[in-house]
Amino acid sequence: HATFYGPLAPPNTTFIATQGATDKKTSSFRIVATGVILGLDKTIDVVKKLKLTGTPYKIFKNTAFLKGMFSSILEVSKFEGAMIKTVSGIRGQVKRALSAPPGAFRASFEDKIQISDIVFLRCWVSVDIPKFYTPVINLLTSDKTWSGMRTVAELRREKGETIPIKQDSLYKDIERQTKVFKPLRVSKSLQKNLPFKTKPKVENKRKKQLYVNKRAVVSEPGERRLTTLMQQLLTAQKESDKKKWEKKNKEKEKYNAEQAKINAKRGEKAKERRKLFYQKNAKKDQAALD
């Protein structure tokens, strides 16, 4: 759907839109859109989505002071009572404007927010439609002296001007510092009262190795022979299992190939039977008609 300002026309009237007004210099044109007029409404309000963001600079229990979302007290007063939300999903509401800094306000939330949270407000902004149209009534005359208004792009192209770039509209790389959370520390008095299954069981890292970890294990000759024999048996068992799986896979592939041939023959015979059946029925139907 699109809204534009133009002459009066009844609903269901078709229209066509081109990229620019045709004149003597234009050898070709491109159709931009085709459509149908749905209705006429003088009081229609065209709006677009807008997302405002701000950051907290002072946090209390369930309230916080935010800045960066508005630029003046007047803007804050227009959005009093509006719903806001943090990136983590905590909902809130705009309460009152603050005297300083400009645009700061007090907001209440469902839960306590963090200083690193980003708060955003989803709202709508009205868009003004240019109220201008020029009906062309002499385009089909013999002289054809009419020429349409040049677009801004055509004027810039003729004058050799570039499109002005707004620095505020350019995308910027957002660099956010990774938040490092402090480790959870449970006091010793609380650990004593906890049940055994919830007590921390991680031992502190020792600076010196124990004697058990440093000592070398020397096996007896009989133990070494036994370990070697067990490793050989396990290796032989793995090789035997591998050969069995390979043989089983080959037999399965062979069986699948034979079944595919059998199914193909069955399909051909079924096709022939269907063909004969339809031929007989066709002959019977023809005899009944004769």
Side-chain angles (χ1 to χ4, degrees), residues 14-82:
T14 58
F15 67 90
I16 187 171
T18 58
Q19 189 176 12
T22 57
D23 53 10
K24 296 179 181 180
K25 296 181 180 179
T26 306
S27 59
S28 61
F29 63 92
R30 183 171 68 86
I31 296 174
V32 177
T34 58
V36 179
I37 295 174
L38 299 178
L40 303 175
D41 191 358
K42 189 178 179 181
T43 61
I44 193 168
D45 189 14
V46 181
V47 295
K48 67 176 181 180
K49 290 181 181 179
L50 182 65
K51 185 183 285 186
L52 303 175
T53 59
T55 54
Y57 67 92
K58 191 178 288 187
I59 299 171
F60 302 97
K61 188 174 181 182
N62 280 355
T63 60
F65 293 167
L66 280 75
K67 64 178 181 179
M69 188 176 291
F70 305 108
S71 59
S72 63
I73 298 175
L74 182 61
E75 290 184 1
V76 179
S77 62
K78 288 182 179 179
F79 288 94
E80 282 185 2

Side-chain angles (χ1 to χ4, degrees), residues 14 87 93 101 105 129 134 144 147 181 207 213 222 246 250:
T14 58
V87 177
Q93 189 178 18
F105 63 94
I129 302 173
T134 305
K144 295 183 181 180
S147 61
F181 296 95
K207 295 181 179 179
N213 298 331
E246 290 178 355
K250 288 181 181 179

Side-chain angles (χ1 to χ4, degrees), residues 22-24 136 138-148:
T22 57
D23 53 10
K24 296 179 181 180
V136 181
N138 58 350
L139 188 59
L140 300 178
T141 56
S142 59
D143 53 357
K144 295 183 181 180
T145 57
W146 180 87
S147 61

